[in-house]
Amino acid sequence: MKKIKMNKWGQVGLLSAMVMGLLIIASAAMAANTAVWTTVNVSGALTENVSLNVEEQLRFGDVTSPSLARQHTDINVGWRVNNILTTLSGYRNTSTGEHRPYVGVELSLLSGDLNLDNSTKLELRDFDTIRGRTELTMTATVAGVTPWISDEVFVDETGVTGNRASVGVTRGINDTFSVNAYYLLDSSGENLTSHTHVLGIGLGVAL
């Protein structure tokens, strides 16, 4: 695993590039669909290398007059094999009644002042259809906050069915609590021509 070191100007340049990327993504999407997603994530260690993660997400449609559209509950257990590899097994339930057991791996590709991580999962949707999702995330630490940019691709037997590109920032309040805010462009449909602009906020709790 490679370690990346950056000076102050390099970190500022990275943050500027992320902001520019956000503006490019937003201007490229022409759809008027909007949404607000709120997330609470609670995680804690069960043993030295095994962790439990519980996430609750509420998805509201339309930024101007939000109404609850979907609710997702996700529970997973992660096993840290080494500094590079972590395996996952979990279950996600949605308010539409869909059941999604899944397995996955997380890879730490780069670490240091600049981090690059990959997360890949295989979901068994309603115990019937297999869907793969893989996400690449780049993070840094700038002036006490953690800006990040990510891209997630969804694939099933028909091919690529979705893409989520996001830019956000996370701020630690103390050793237990953190907050985050982000913009996400959710693309789906044939040739990924259906777009939804998502504003997201979240609370992280580390036990």
Side-chain angles (χ1 to χ4, degrees), residues 161-181:
T161 60
N163 180 264
R164 291 175 182 167
S166 60
V167 176
V169 62
T170 300
R171 170 77 180 189
I173 300 174
N174 51 39
D175 292 339
T176 301
F177 296 100
S178 64
V179 293
N180 64 75

Side-chain angles (χ1 to χ4, degrees), residues 1-6 83 109-115:
M1 179 174 56
K2 296 181 179 180
K3 291 186 177 293
I4 302 296
K5 293 294 183 181
M6 300 177 65
N83 290 335
L109 304 177
L110 296 173
S111 68
D113 293 332
L114 178 66
N115 301 297

Side-chain angles (χ1 to χ4, degrees), residues 68-83:
L68 183 61
R70 298 189 71 169
Q71 179 179 358
H72 289 212
T73 302
D74 189 300
I75 302 174
N76 70 66
V77 174
W79 175 41
R80 183 175 174 270
V81 180
N82 51 43
N83 290 335

Side-chain angles (χ1 to χ4, degrees), residues 31-97:
N33 296 329
T34 61
V36 177
W37 294 0
T38 64
T39 306
V40 176
N41 184 284
V42 181
S43 61
L46 299 178
T47 67
E48 182 179 356
N49 293 315
V50 179
S51 60
L52 175 66
N53 186 79
V54 180
E55 181 179 278
E56 188 74 14
Q57 186 176 74
L58 302 179
R59 299 182 179 180
F60 298 86
D62 195 347
V63 171
T64 57
S65 56
S67 59
L68 183 61
R70 298 189 71 169
Q71 179 179 358
H72 289 212
T73 302
D74 189 300
I75 302 174
N76 70 66
V77 174
W79 175 41
R80 183 175 174 270
V81 180
N82 51 43
N83 290 335
I84 299 176
L85 174 65
T86 299
T87 63
L88 298 172
S89 60
Y91 167 79
R92 171 168 287 215
N93 177 261
T94 75
S95 57
T96 60

Side-chain angles (χ1 to χ4, degrees), residues 188-205:
S188 60
E190 187 175 356
N191 298 319
L192 304 183
T193 54
S194 176
H195 303 292
T196 300
H197 302 272
V198 179
L199 298 180
I201 54 174
L203 172 67
V205 182

